[in-house]
Amino acid sequence: MSNFAEITLEGKTYQLPIVIGTEGEKAIDITKLRDMTGYITLDSGYKNTGATKSAITFLDGDKGILRYRGYPIEQLAEKSSFLEVAFLLIYGYLPKAEELKKFVYEVTTHTLVNEDVKKIYSGFPVNAHPMGVLCALVSSLSAFYPIPTDIKNTEIVDLTIYRLLAKVPTLAAWTYKNSQGHPVNYPKNNLSYAANFLHMMFSLPVEDYEVNPVVADALDKLLILHADHEQNCSTSTVRLAGSSHVTLYAAIAAGISALWGPLHGGANQEVLEMLEAIRADGGNVKKYIEKAKDKNSGFRLMGFGHRVYKNFDPRAKIIKKACDDVLKALGVHDPILDIAQELEQAALNDSYFIERKLYPNVDFYSGIIYKAIGIPTNMFTVMFAIGRLPGWIAQWREMRLDGEPISRPRQIYIGEKQRDYVPIDQR
Ligand code: SDX
């Protein structure tokens, strides 16, 4: 196979290098295209454009494969823990026992946030969407820790990583408590990462709160499944913002904003609201399938379809099984799950979805588990953000360590040609 592509423009032929990845993915390197030819490429939504070379996560959308640093998601979900997966994604290898112990210790001992953060909460209306509050609070960490994230200063970079992994669950739980008018719960160092979050979310000063181990395990697994997903919208936002060398806190806050969108991480909230609407409408699944197929309806089957997966999203399969297990363990029978399964079967047997290779994605079942463990619907995307945090951090760290330049895409201008200013009395 030739190691370059040829392109002929205005009678001249140019050669562009071919790049082949570890798993055989092929790219044409157009780094020098504009200098050589005066042409740029156009690719709205970057459906055909690779923004970088990365060693962190591999997806095969046709085969439904997802691996973090080469390890299949199915094995990590079954055998690993969220903090071990965070270490793997960020530092690139499975930690030895001592390394993991130190990492867990560092994260555990940075879970407190500055008491002045409470003043920021008091400025928000109680009905503010938690993603907007979380974004503001993570951005505020740049004020409490104004040290520039100099990528060469590994001590500061690692400390910033510990602080983010440790404090974001605290900020998220405090956001929820503030919206309920409840006193916040301080983190407890003797609890695991997931158990600590559940404690901060659901403990009340008036009674003891015992974390259900089934729920804590399910939550840890959900966080693993959300931890990274190569160059998705929010991760690309973190890399783009980070390429201007802002602090890691600011780059993560940008990622939180992008994740909030209903076409991206906001879909898990939309899925639950859609399922609830179908239930309220008498469970008429067929009607909603037809609506989703009607371009004029403006309605999409939320939790279905994916830019990369044209087969089952492997995460959806694992979450669906976890969903059954958690509901059974909690003795919960949620009619929403029946509607979800009926909707899935109807869509998977409908030519519209089959032709467009639309399968359930990570967001289709996750909300049902969150609901079963008591997480309110408007906190679902916050859960996604907590899970995605190590992936965002890993991708930012890789981009900075690789010394990537500031991201500054080109454009093709299609506006007015030059024209002279017209005084207002002549318009
Ligand atoms: C996440 O990128 C990632 O990796 C994201 C993520 C991660 O881990 O970071 O996996 C997390 O964001 C999962 C996706 C969550 N979003 C949703 O569930 C929202 C519903 N799904 C879609 O809106 C859509 O499928 C996207 C946004 C996920 C993907 O959109 P694409 O790749 O741009 O595809 P498209 O919009 O061009 O759709 C192709 C066709 C269109 O029909 P035609 O114009 O060809 O006739 O499929 C149709 C679309 O109308 N279509 C849907 C549909 N999704 C696509 N029709 C009905 N319901 C849907 N859900």
Side-chain angles (χ1 to χ4, degrees):
M1 177 183 163
S2 160
N3 55 10
F4 55 80
E6 284 193 349
I7 182 170
T8 301
L9 294 164
E10 296 165 35
K12 208 169 164 217
T13 299
Y14 305 88
Q15 291 187 334
L16 295 165
I18 298 283
V19 175
I20 302 197
T22 322
E23 293 290 341
E25 295 165 304
K26 297 183 275 289
I28 300 170
D29 183 338
I30 57 169
T31 314
K32 299 206 172 7
L33 177 70
R34 189 168 180 274
D35 291 346
M36 288 161 68
T37 69
Y39 281 67
I40 62 167
T41 56
L42 264 186
D43 184 19
S44 169
Y46 305 111
K47 293 192 175 186
N48 305 282
T49 298
T52 188
K53 289 184 272 189
S54 175
I56 299 170
T57 292
F58 171 69
L59 303 188
D60 181 318
D62 295 323
K63 297 190 187 117
I65 291 173
L66 169 57
R67 297 187 200 127
Y68 296 160
R69 299 286 186 179
Y71 296 97
I73 190 67
E74 295 79 4
Q75 294 181 26
L76 293 171
E78 190 194 329
K79 299 174 179 156
S80 189
S81 66
F82 178 62
L83 284 184
E84 182 178 74
V85 164
F87 186 103
L88 169 67
L89 285 167
I90 294 166
Y91 298 106
Y93 64 96
L94 285 173
K96 290 185 176 48
E98 268 319 295
E99 290 174 304
L100 181 59
K101 194 164 164 235
K102 178 181 181 306
F103 186 70
V104 171
Y105 171 80
E106 293 290 357
V107 172
T108 305
T109 53
H110 282 88
T111 47
L112 269 181
V113 294
N114 189 306
E115 283 290 301
D116 283 347
V117 165
K118 290 180 183 174
K119 294 177 193 153
I120 305 174
Y121 279 111
S122 61
F124 282 98
V126 284
N127 62 348
H129 193 289
M131 282 296 275
V133 178
L134 184 67
C135 178
L137 290 166
V138 170
S139 190
S140 80
L141 294 177
S142 309
F144 291 103
Y145 306 104
I147 319 143
T149 332
D150 168 8
I151 197 64
K152 294 185 191 64
N153 185 334
T154 42
E155 205 178 313
I156 291 292
V157 170
D158 287 346
L159 177 57
T160 306
I161 291 171
Y162 304 146
R163 280 174 167 157
L164 271 164
L165 290 170
K167 296 179 195 305
V168 167
T170 306
L171 296 173
W174 285 20
T175 299
Y176 170 63
K177 283 304 201 188
N178 189 56
S179 74
Q180 301 300 302
H182 291 172
V184 297
N185 292 308
Y186 287 93
K188 284 188 172 171
N189 289 357
N190 62 333
L191 294 175
S192 71
Y193 195 83
N196 205 2
F197 178 73
L198 292 166
H199 147 68
M200 291 190 284
M201 280 286 288
F202 300 122
S203 283
L204 286 167
V206 293
E207 55 195 25
D208 291 340
Y209 174 78
E210 270 300 301
V211 175
N212 181 329
V214 170
V215 173
D217 285 351
L219 181 54
D220 197 77
K221 182 178 288 200
L222 278 168
L223 295 175
I224 290 174
L225 293 167
H226 286 81
D228 193 50
H229 215 237
E230 55 132 284
Q231 305 310 314
N232 59 83
C233 177
S234 53
T235 299
S236 300
T237 303
V238 170
R239 286 182 83 117
L240 193 135
S243 73
S244 73
H245 292 193
V246 281
T247 70
L248 179 54
Y249 303 115
I252 296 298
I256 292 171
S257 293
L259 184 72
W260 191 0
L263 293 186
H264 188 17
N268 56 16
Q269 175 175 345
E270 302 273 335
V271 167
L272 234 293
E273 286 164 1
M274 172 187 74
L275 294 172
E276 296 282 7
I278 296 173
R279 190 168 60 87
D281 192 7
N284 185 343
V285 160
K286 194 97 192 75
K287 174 180 163 187
Y288 286 81
I289 293 278
E290 291 312 310
K291 249 176 94 175
K293 291 157 63 175
D294 170 9
K295 291 276 177 275
N296 304 318
S297 73
F299 173 77
R300 283 196 162 189
L301 214 48
M302 301 313 276
F304 259 78
H306 199 276
R307 172 62 58 78
V308 175
Y309 290 124
K310 300 307 172 192
N311 193 324
F312 248 93
D313 180 333
R315 301 167 297 177
K317 275 188 192 167
I318 300 169
I319 292 177
K320 183 177 175 183
K321 168 121 183 13
C323 198
D324 290 336
D325 297 348
V326 168
L327 293 183
K328 219 173 276 145
L330 296 177
V332 166
H333 175 68
D334 189 341
I336 288 282
L337 179 61
D338 300 335
I339 291 178
Q341 287 169 331
E342 201 187 323
L343 192 63
E344 177 189 354
Q345 283 316 309
L348 293 181
N349 291 295
D350 184 292
S351 58
Y352 173 95
F353 293 88
I354 295 167
E355 281 153 23
R356 291 167 179 79
K357 299 182 177 175
L358 302 176
Y359 289 87
N361 58 47
V362 66
D363 294 309
F364 190 65
Y365 283 104
S366 54
I368 299 170
I369 300 185
Y370 291 141
K371 179 170 177 270
I373 61 182
I375 309 269
T377 309
N378 71 355
M379 283 284 290
F380 287 4
T381 311
V382 168
M383 300 310 296
F384 195 144
I386 296 172
R388 185 52 51 90
L389 191 54
W392 286 334
I393 291 169
Q395 299 272 350
W396 167 86
R397 184 171 177 274
E398 180 181 69
M399 177 271 299
R400 290 297 309 276
L401 287 175
D402 287 352
E404 290 195 3
I406 185 168
S407 291
R408 201 268 183 231
R410 291 276 180 166
Q411 64 161 25
I412 292 293
Y413 174 71
I414 54 169
E416 298 286 344
K417 283 190 170 295
Q418 182 175 329
R419 51 186 173 165
D420 295 329
Y421 183 80
V422 179
I424 193 159
D425 55 0
Q426 293 168 35
R427 289 174 201 164

